Amino acid sequence: MGKQEPLAGSCNATKAKAKAIDTDGPDFIILRLSKPGAFFLLLLSFATIVYIRLGYLPYLAGAPHRAPVARNPWKGLAAHCEATQPIPQSELLQRQLRLAQTLHELNASAYIAEPGANALFFGNISDSSWHLSERPLLLMISPLVNDGEVSAKVTVLTPYFEETRAKLLNVPGADVTFVAWREDDDPYTVGVNALPSPSGGPIYVDGMIRHFIVDGFQKAVPEVDVLSAPLEITSLRERKSPAEIALLKCVNEVTVLAIRAVQAQMYIGMHESQVIAMVDDALAAAGLTERWALVLFGENAALPHGTGTDRVLGISDLILIDAGGVLFGYHSDVTRTFHLAESQIPKDHLKLWWDVHAAQTAAQATAGAGVITSDVDKAARTELTGRGLGRYFTHRLGHGIGLEDHEAPYLRGGSDDIIETGHAFSNEPGVYIEGKVGIRLEDCFYIDEDGDAVYLTAGVGGQAIDPLNP
């Protein structure tokens, strides 16, 4: 490079002069700056670094706006449920006693469940603590009667080579018996022979038990009926205790807080998959296990369970997040449809949001002890039908929630189940117009001692306030 003309510039009327000089090496420019000019250059460099760190540089370059990411966007989520405790051993023992008393009243020989929600409820055996296989491990509870007093006899039927591992399960009970069956044994015959003084009455099984197990017991005792547990037994788990309600409240509240925290980090131009990862991070920070999230933008939400795409968020898109997790065995299930502050949502889509909100409110006002479950579904459906949207509400209103994300009883048309104190349900009406827009709002509620429906999320505000405030 040859000799250059001097460079000149100004800042606040202060000129910075530059002089180019020749050297024996590569050509270069030396800038001689005044103190104010040097200060301005330093300030500009610092501002550039800050914008890069906070994510604003793409925005300045014309890319979609990306909100600044907080150093700890999930701060405070972990503290929300840190004081909660698992169901105490005393309550587990009470559950077994109530089951034994019910079995005695029904003149039944036993209740049998394999690892899952019912075995967890009565025996602290979940399907995560003992995975199902073709070799059955079963929880068997029978009534014992001494001097007119009923007590629970707890037996765990286990494969012989797994007996030591089975005994590591924390199964409550004053005298839990482990009965092992060898590979050349019939496990069901071994199980029946382990039942104390069978009355000849029916053997009731968990309604979700695998059918080959039912067949095995029926073949082992053909003279005894092996039946799915009746309402007298299933209602023991359907009606939640105060300790269960406390867990359900906290896990659902923190799920709402996690969705709000994710909204604060979202920006136009991001992908559905990015938001799914953010929801998982937030729920993990909150201490939840078995986390899941459904994230749908715009018309993708018109299919209630999504399309499996990885759509980019546009400025006119509503955002649907359906998410949940588990806290000490108890589930959350929350759906919010919302938009960002910089979104430009069509007015007809915003009207649909308020229509769904009205349906959710109508259902909540209808629910209560003594009400038929189908009437609650009807209340939401009637509200949407009156607004010309009935055909776009394509699924039941809600499901029970507790040790399972979806469990009986259900809020659906055609059901004659009666709502009772302690029941807990989801309330999730939706409008789904394929190819255009989908909106769902979901909060779970329980029936309190006064027979009233109370949102499990009431502690953090209950149902969504408006489309910008989920």
Side-chain angles (χ1 to χ4, degrees):
M1 181 182 291
K3 188 173 181 178
Q4 304 292 312
E5 293 295 324
L7 301 176
S10 65
C11 177
N12 295 329
T14 301
K15 294 184 177 181
K17 297 180 180 180
K19 179 181 180 181
I21 62 174
D22 291 327
T23 71
D24 294 333
D27 293 342
F28 60 95
I29 296 174
I30 296 177
L31 294 178
R32 292 175 177 165
L33 301 175
S34 65
K35 288 183 179 180
F39 175 77
F40 173 75
L41 185 61
L42 181 63
L43 185 63
L44 181 62
S45 300
F46 177 75
T48 302
I49 293 171
V50 170
Y51 266 62
I52 292 173
R53 291 291 300 274
L54 293 182
Y56 280 117
L57 201 57
Y59 178 57
L60 294 178
H65 173 50
R66 180 176 186 270
V69 178
R71 289 186 179 275
N72 184 7
W74 322 131
K75 184 178 181 180
L77 292 177
H80 191 75
C81 292
E82 66 181 358
T84 58
Q85 297 294 321
I87 301 299
Q89 180 105 341
S90 58
E91 183 162 324
L92 295 173
L93 294 175
Q94 282 290 29
R95 293 172 180 177
Q96 293 176 355
L97 178 59
R98 288 199 303 271
L99 174 59
Q101 292 169 339
T102 303
L103 291 169
H104 178 63
E105 292 167 2
L106 295 171
N107 194 34
S109 299
Y111 172 81
I112 298 174
E114 58 180 335
N118 284 301
L120 177 60
F121 184 79
F122 291 113
N124 200 36
I125 305 175
S126 68
D127 55 5
S128 59
S129 62
W130 193 282
H131 295 290
L132 302 184
S133 77
E134 74 280 8
R135 297 181 175 97
L137 177 136
L138 301 172
L139 174 72
M140 306 192 300
I141 298 179
S142 304
L144 287 179
V145 182
N146 292 307
D147 296 328
E149 293 292 325
V150 178
S151 61
K153 173 58 183 172
V154 181
T155 304
V156 177
L157 181 68
T158 175
Y160 174 78
F161 75 98
E162 297 273 36
E163 184 175 5
T164 299
R165 185 166 73 93
K167 288 180 177 178
L168 297 176
L169 294 169
N170 184 23
V171 181
D175 183 23
V176 179
T177 301
F178 290 82
V179 175
W181 59 273
R182 296 178 182 272
E183 293 283 83
D184 54 354
D185 289 334
D186 173 42
Y188 312 105
T189 300
V190 173
V192 168
N193 290 336
L195 297 178
S197 303
S199 65
I203 294 174
Y204 289 123
V205 298
D206 174 359
M208 300 298 288
I209 202 168
R210 290 174 295 173
H211 206 278
F212 74 86
I213 296 174
V214 178
D215 290 343
F217 276 109
Q218 192 64 80
K219 183 178 179 181
V221 280
E223 70 280 7
V224 173
D225 291 328
V226 181
L227 305 169
S228 291
L231 180 61
E232 291 88 342
I233 292 175
T234 59
S235 64
L236 297 176
R237 182 160 78 85
E238 289 176 2
R239 300 182 66 182
K240 275 61 179 180
S241 70
E244 292 179 285
I245 295 297
L247 285 171
L248 285 169
K249 283 181 178 180
C250 207
V251 69
N252 280 274
E253 287 173 356
V254 83
T255 301
V256 170
L257 295 177
I259 291 174
R260 292 173 184 167
V262 167
Q263 182 199 29
Q265 303 304 318
M266 290 182 65
Y267 56 91
I268 303 300
M270 69 189 312
H271 290 260
E272 290 170 338
S273 60
Q274 291 175 279
V275 182
I276 290 173
M278 291 169 69
V279 175
D280 185 70
D281 287 346
L283 294 176
L288 304 192
T289 61
E290 300 179 40
R291 302 174 300 276
W292 56 272
L294 176 69
V295 175
L296 302 169
F297 298 160
E299 74 282 354
N300 278 1
L303 298 181
H305 288 163
T307 60
T309 71
D310 191 16
R311 193 184 185 286
V312 171
L313 179 63
I315 198 166
S316 62
D317 292 333
L318 287 170
I319 302 150
L320 186 151
I321 296 180
D322 188 350
V326 175
L327 178 68
F328 296 124
Y330 288 83
H331 287 253
S332 64
D333 194 355
V334 175
T335 305
R336 289 291 187 268
T337 304
F338 58 90
H339 62 78
L340 305 183
E342 61 267 39
S343 300
Q344 298 174 13
I345 307 300
K347 289 183 179 180
D348 58 331
H349 291 185
L350 293 176
K351 180 181 179 300
L352 290 173
W353 190 98
W354 286 108
D355 291 332
V356 175
H357 190 270
Q360 188 186 41
T361 302
Q364 189 74 3
T366 302
V371 176
I372 299 173
T373 50
S374 59
D375 286 346
V376 186
D377 177 276
K378 183 179 179 181
R381 212 165 294 278
T382 299
E383 185 70 33
L384 289 174
T385 299
R387 296 164 181 258
L389 300 169
R391 65 192 179 101
Y392 299 117
F393 181 18
T394 55
H395 54 72
R396 69 189 176 214
L397 175 68
H399 53 79
I401 191 166
L403 288 172
E404 293 177 283
D405 184 27
H406 289 195
E407 62 182 42
Y410 297 89
L411 301 177
R412 63 175 183 83
S415 170
D416 58 1
D417 291 334
I418 297 176
I419 297 175
E420 298 186 57
T421 299
H423 277 165
F425 301 94
S426 70
N427 176 359
E428 48 180 311
V431 164
Y432 310 96
I433 304 176
E434 292 189 17
K436 293 184 178 181
V437 64
I439 298 165
R440 181 166 66 254
L441 298 173
E442 176 184 15
D443 290 86
C444 295
F445 67 91
Y446 72 102
I447 306 301
D448 69 10
E449 293 181 354
D450 295 325
D452 297 325
V454 179
Y455 282 124
L456 289 167
T457 51
V460 292
Q463 66 183 144
I465 297 173
D466 56 47
L468 182 57
N469 296 283

